Amino acid sequence: MEKNKIYKHYNNDWKKIVENIRDSKNQHLILELLYSELKYDNEYKNLIINKDWKNICLNLKDIIEKLSLTSQTKLLVILVYLSKFSIPNLETFEFFFKGLKKGKRVGYNSGYKEAIEGKENKYLLAKKKKEEKINNKKPISPFETLTNKRIQDWILGDYNSIKESIDDCQYTSQTEAYLHLIKGENVFLTGPAGSGKSFVINQYANMLMAINEKLKIVKTSTTGISATNIGGKTIHSFLCCEPKDYNLPYDEVKEKYLEMFPSRWKIGDKKLKEADVIIIDEISMMSEAFFNFFVNRYEDVKSKAQVIVCGDFSQLPPVAKKEDVLKYGEEISKFSFDSEGWQKLKLKVCYLDKLYRTKDRKLSYILNEISLGRGNSEEVKNLLMSLPQTKNKFKKGSALIVPYNINVEKINKEEQEKNKNELNTYIPKLRPDLITDNNIKDEDKETNCKKIMIRDKCPNEISIKEDDTIMITSNLYSRDLWPDESGENILVLANGTIGTMIYDTNNEYPFGIKLKDGKIFNIPPKLITDGYYTKNEIVSENNNSTYEIIYTCTAAYEILPMKLAYAITIHKSQGQSFSDVTCDLTSSFMKGLGYVALSRATDFSGITLLNEYNKTFPFNSLSLEIDPQSLDVKKKTQSQALENRKNSELILDVVFNSPLSYIEQLGKRRKRRNVKKKKQ
């Protein structure tokens, strides 16, 4: 088809932007942005996957209108800053208006008001104002925000101007972290809640991909919620093993999988070996036993990947049941910081000391004092006493987080009663028809199913009303939600996702969830099975033997993976942020709970303390304390970070003399790997 025919539906302005997108060197960034939001849109998903630029361009206006405001802005930034072309007629791009207003989040904060009003071409205006700012002031740090144009220039090779003015640049903790990352060192990135840890690792990953899109950057986390926040997967699924196996010695697990699930183990090995960078977020939730398992496997496959662990040990430790601690040992409940694996990786400590989640001085001060073991000081208590208090357990629009599960259940029942909508009930379904164990009699199959339901504490029924606040209780992947859909099994809804219940009688699965961003998902029942694997030898006529692994089901049932969430536990809130939050700090049962609860807030004024029984103080002393082990880790990391900072000039000199050495090394390694694959 001729070019003019392709654009027959567009005016000249649309034709110009379409041509620019087609010719852009950053097509992969545009594709990633579109795919992140439209991967479940059947209309446009295949166009993006197949890189069908002709039809993407034909439907560009409709596609962009489906994006969120933030994504629209990010697209604008990719087009203007990275592709370096100006937007033609502003009136053509109505979908950008609201996005521009949000532009401060992504670095496009110059002249956006004037641009919206159509006073002057927004790109030229922004460029002019930026030049004026640079001429009138000393150069700002190229690393203060990693989206800064200066750092983009440096990474892409144009770093002379930065080198000339390096003396005027402010050396920040983010600078330090980035310099260690770009050198290819294994890094432990830490700092208080809201200091920008996830932001730094995401920006670093984006920078690497912008330089070489073939690099394999693996983003993982210890929880489903935090994994979705960084656009990754859980570390458990990345390693292709069952969660309970990470408590066992590495050699024992390896032997088991090579015998029972060899293909599964080989897939995990392959992913580890091919990775160029491995990121593990929320490291405080990863036990010593699990981290040692990861490092042993990392060394076993002779991986050369850069390892970046990220998190704050002042937050909650690994969750382990008492019976599991007795069975597997204390290593499953201890932090990974002092583990053997930690020492083997020789992680360089980078401590981020500036808070970005909140610029509220009061909240920053409280969190810092608690993390340093001074949470029960008079200053902290006086500040907490100045917060509003409430007896009401739930306020619409506010997240209510409490320590105990029993309190959560009580509050949820009370709040549901206030909802006047009709009650919809789901009864978990026994599935004795799926039992394949021939040793179980037909009359005993149903009893077996009931037993594992009791073991799993499965409720007899789930009763939810439309508009109830609910939480997803299990990681739901694309194949769980759309079983017939082929392709990669992507995490869609993480365990802990909160939204509003919807009930659609016209749908095969009437129960669903509506998220804050307006997305709706119908939730099918999730199948839970119990059983064992057997290895059967098959001997051919030539006396050659092969093996077949058979899963024998002993019990099964179906459960709706959702529950009421007017209130959630502090443990479930970790990894989330709330602009309005109500915290119950009156009955903490372990140290660190208060710190995690308060650090979920983005602003001091958005915190309300629950004081149901009119207590003199709406908090207890335990809630404002930190585990001694956490405090010890914090002191060690801070001292190591200070030691690193003494050598900052040396680091700068080394990096600026060879800024792309590590990235070039990654690129060469990837090329060699591709050559080997072609030969095979």
Side-chain angles (χ1 to χ4, degrees):
M1 189 182 287
E2 296 179 6
K3 224 175 185 182
N4 61 340
K5 289 184 179 180
I6 293 175
Y7 306 113
K8 65 181 180 180
H9 301 295
Y10 301 119
N11 56 26
N12 290 330
D13 297 325
W14 271 105
K15 181 178 177 180
K16 186 173 179 179
I17 194 170
V18 166
E19 286 174 347
N20 274 286
I21 290 176
R22 286 174 64 104
D23 298 336
S24 171
K25 294 179 181 178
N26 298 284
Q27 284 187 358
H28 65 285
L29 294 177
I30 298 170
L31 285 172
E32 285 176 14
L33 187 66
L34 298 180
Y35 183 74
S36 65
E37 289 202 27
L38 301 178
K39 57 189 173 186
Y40 308 117
D41 191 310
N42 292 326
E43 191 176 355
Y44 300 119
K45 180 181 70 175
N46 290 332
L47 297 182
I48 299 165
I49 292 173
N50 298 326
K51 300 181 182 179
D52 187 353
W53 282 105
K54 185 175 87 173
N55 285 308
I56 288 174
C57 293
L58 282 170
N59 297 280
L60 187 61
K61 192 169 184 178
D62 293 333
I63 288 173
I64 293 176
E65 285 174 347
K66 284 197 172 191
L67 300 179
S68 66
L69 298 179
T70 303
S71 292
Q72 288 179 7
T73 309
K74 286 181 179 177
L75 179 59
L76 180 63
V77 171
I78 291 170
L79 295 176
V80 172
Y81 277 105
L82 297 181
S83 302
K84 295 189 174 59
F85 72 91
S86 59
I87 303 297
N89 181 358
L90 196 64
E91 292 180 1
T92 310
F93 304 97
E94 294 180 1
F95 53 84
F96 278 141
F97 285 7
K98 292 180 181 178
L100 279 169
K101 292 178 182 178
K102 297 251 182 182
K104 289 184 178 181
R105 291 186 178 180
V106 289
Y108 193 86
N109 56 9
S110 301
Y112 70 95
K113 287 183 180 178
E114 291 87 347
I116 289 171
E117 293 167 6
K119 292 180 180 178
E120 193 174 337
N121 181 289
K122 60 184 176 298
Y123 175 63
L124 297 176
L125 182 66
K127 190 175 180 181
K128 185 172 75 176
K129 288 198 171 185
K130 192 172 181 179
E131 288 172 355
E132 288 174 359
K133 190 175 180 180
I134 292 171
N135 293 331
N136 295 332
K137 293 183 180 181
K138 284 186 176 182
I140 60 171
S141 166
F143 312 99
E144 185 65 32
T145 63
L146 299 180
T147 54
N148 193 288
K149 178 78 164 54
R150 284 172 163 264
I151 193 67
Q152 290 276 6
D153 289 342
W154 176 50
I155 293 300
L156 297 172
D158 184 15
Y159 49 89
N160 288 329
S161 62
I162 299 174
K163 194 174 179 181
E164 290 169 4
S165 60
I166 194 66
D167 292 336
D168 297 320
C169 294
Q170 183 187 354
Y171 187 82
T172 67
S173 56
Q174 284 195 353
T175 312
E176 178 197 323
Y178 197 80
L179 290 175
H180 286 298
L181 290 170
I182 205 70
K183 282 174 68 182
E185 294 178 318
N186 293 336
V187 169
F188 168 41
L189 188 64
T190 186
S195 58
K197 297 183 292 293
S198 297
F199 173 77
V200 169
I201 57 177
N202 271 322
Q203 290 300 315
Y204 176 61
N206 292 340
M207 296 284 183
L208 290 180
M209 292 301 293
I211 296 163
N212 189 342
E213 61 183 57
K214 293 182 179 179
L215 292 177
K216 292 211 172 175
I217 317 295
V218 181
K219 297 179 184 178
T220 72
S221 186
T222 53
T223 67
I225 285 288
S226 57
T228 54
N229 288 342
I230 62 171
K233 60 180 71 175
T234 61
I235 184 68
H236 310 78
S237 62
F238 171 66
L239 295 175
C240 297
C241 292
E242 297 296 324
K244 62 182 179 182
D245 291 326
Y246 299 121
N247 297 329
L248 300 169
Y250 172 73
D251 291 336
E252 185 179 326
V253 178
K254 181 180 179 180
E255 186 180 350
K256 170 189 169 183
Y257 274 78
L258 286 176
E259 183 178 351
M260 304 296 291
F261 321 106
S263 59
R264 188 172 173 182
W265 185 264
K266 287 175 183 176
I267 290 170
D269 281 355
K270 185 181 177 184
K271 290 196 291 185
L272 257 176
K273 201 167 184 177
E274 290 189 349
D276 294 303
V277 179
I278 300 172
I279 297 166
I280 306 174
D281 200 10
E282 293 292 348
I283 190 64
S284 72
M285 301 288 285
M286 195 170 183
S287 69
E288 180 183 335
F290 192 177
F291 195 80
N292 281 334
F293 179 96
F294 164 75
V295 175
N296 284 330
R297 194 166 185 189
Y298 172 88
E299 290 184 330
D300 195 20
V301 300
K302 298 178 181 177
S303 175
K304 295 181 180 179
Q306 179 186 22
V307 179
I308 305 167
V309 298
C310 183
D312 177 15
F313 285 108
S314 296
Q315 298 189 39
L316 299 175
V319 179
K321 296 177 181 177
K322 287 183 180 179
E323 55 265 32
D324 289 338
V325 173
L326 292 171
K327 184 178 179 180
Y328 300 111
E330 292 185 356
E331 290 78 12
I332 71 169
S333 62
K334 288 183 176 180
F335 288 124
S336 57
F337 186 77
D338 288 319
S339 67
E340 185 182 344
W342 194 281
Q343 309 309 318
K344 285 181 179 179
L345 287 179
K346 298 178 181 177
L347 293 155
K348 184 69 70 175
V349 177
C350 295
Y351 188 88
L352 303 185
D353 51 17
K354 185 176 179 181
L355 291 183
Y356 290 91
R357 180 183 293 168
T358 178
K359 296 192 176 180
D360 193 298
R361 290 185 178 180
K362 291 180 181 178
L363 181 57
S364 301
Y365 174 77
I366 289 171
L367 295 176
N368 187 56
E369 289 296 285
I370 296 174
S371 69
L372 293 172
R374 301 194 293 260
N376 280 301
S377 67
E378 288 301 316
E379 291 85 355
V380 172
K381 288 180 177 179
N382 289 336
L383 281 171
L384 290 174
M385 288 298 295
S386 69
L387 287 168
Q389 300 176 28
T390 181
K391 290 184 179 180
N392 300 322
K393 296 184 182 71
F394 180 76
K395 180 175 69 173
K396 194 161 183 174
S398 178
L400 174 59
I401 52 180
V402 300
Y404 293 96
N405 259 317
I406 191 168
N407 292 348
V408 168
E409 292 170 8
K410 181 184 174 185
I411 294 166
N412 283 333
K413 285 179 182 178
E414 289 175 357
E415 295 303 323
Q416 189 184 54
E417 288 175 2
K418 299 175 185 177
N419 186 345
K420 303 303 180 185
N421 290 324
E422 184 180 349
L423 193 68
N424 301 290
T425 301
Y426 172 85
I427 299 174
K429 186 179 177 182
L430 301 176
R431 295 299 305 273
D433 56 303
L434 298 178
I435 293 177
T436 54
D437 192 337
N438 296 324
N439 296 319
I440 301 174
K441 298 177 182 178
D442 288 344
E443 58 267 26
D444 296 331
K445 288 183 177 180
E446 192 169 308
T447 306
N448 260 38
C449 296
K450 288 179 180 178
K451 282 181 180 177
I452 70 157
M453 287 179 70
I454 295 168
R455 181 200 67 186
D456 296 342
K457 297 179 181 178
C458 177
N460 294 325
E461 62 179 43
I462 297 171
S463 301
I464 307 178
K465 300 177 181 180
E466 192 157 8
D467 295 332
D468 271 340
T469 301
I470 60 168
M471 176 193 291
I472 299 298
T473 58
S474 176
N475 285 343
L476 295 177
Y477 296 84
S478 52
R479 289 174 193 166
D480 294 322
L481 297 171
W482 308 286
D484 298 330
E485 186 167 322
S486 59
E488 189 179 354
N489 201 17
I490 303 165
L491 180 63
V492 182
L493 295 172
N495 182 3
T497 302
I498 295 174
T500 305
M501 206 283 280
I502 58 164
Y503 194 76
D504 183 7
T505 53
N506 296 321
N507 198 290
E508 182 183 359
Y509 307 116
F511 291 90
I513 186 171
K514 183 178 181 180
L515 307 182
K516 284 184 179 179
D517 59 6
K519 290 179 180 175
I520 294 175
F521 298 92
N522 292 94
I523 311 297
K526 187 161 185 176
L527 182 67
I528 309 295
T529 66
D530 195 40
Y532 57 91
Y533 292 89
T534 53
K535 184 177 180 181
N536 290 345
E537 185 177 10
I538 303 170
V539 182
S540 65
E541 294 178 357
N542 300 326
N543 290 326
N544 294 326
S545 61
T546 57
Y547 295 93
E548 167 184 50
I549 304 297
I550 297 176
Y551 177 73
T552 304
C553 181
T554 58
Y557 66 93
E558 288 178 347
I559 182 69
L560 189 67
M562 62 171 66
K563 67 177 183 180
L564 290 171
Y566 287 99
I568 60 174
T569 61
I570 294 173
H571 279 84
K572 280 292 183 185
S573 74
Q574 190 165 1
Q576 302 190 62
S577 299
F578 306 104
S579 57
D580 194 335
V581 60
T582 303
C583 304
D584 181 8
L585 306 180
T586 59
S587 55
S588 298
F589 62 89
M590 67 180 294
K591 297 175 180 180
L593 288 180
Y595 178 83
V596 174
L598 293 169
S599 64
R600 300 308 94 201
T602 57
D603 195 77
F604 184 77
S605 60
I607 302 173
T608 302
L609 297 182
L610 185 66
N611 192 1
E612 186 181 357
Y613 302 107
N614 259 341
K615 293 185 177 181
T616 309
F617 296 102
F619 47 82
N620 64 1
S621 59
L622 191 63
S623 66
L624 304 180
E625 292 180 19
I626 288 288
D627 185 271
Q629 192 185 355
S630 302
L631 194 58
D632 184 51
V633 170
K634 187 176 184 74
K635 288 177 180 177
K636 285 181 181 178
T637 55
Q638 284 182 317
S639 64
Q640 289 182 29
L642 285 170
E643 196 64 35
N644 292 339
R645 220 154 282 166
K646 290 178 183 177
N647 302 318
S648 61
E649 291 184 8
L650 179 64
I651 295 169
L652 287 168
D653 186 58
V654 170
V655 173
F656 276 110
N657 284 331
S658 56
L660 299 181
S661 58
Y662 173 61
I663 298 169
E664 287 173 350
Q665 183 186 341
L666 287 179
K668 288 176 182 176
R669 198 162 75 207
R670 177 77 31 203
K671 283 181 182 178
R672 286 197 298 270
R673 199 176 289 160
N674 291 337
V675 169
K676 284 182 181 178
K677 282 184 179 178
K678 286 179 181 178
K679 286 181 178 179
Q680 291 173 356

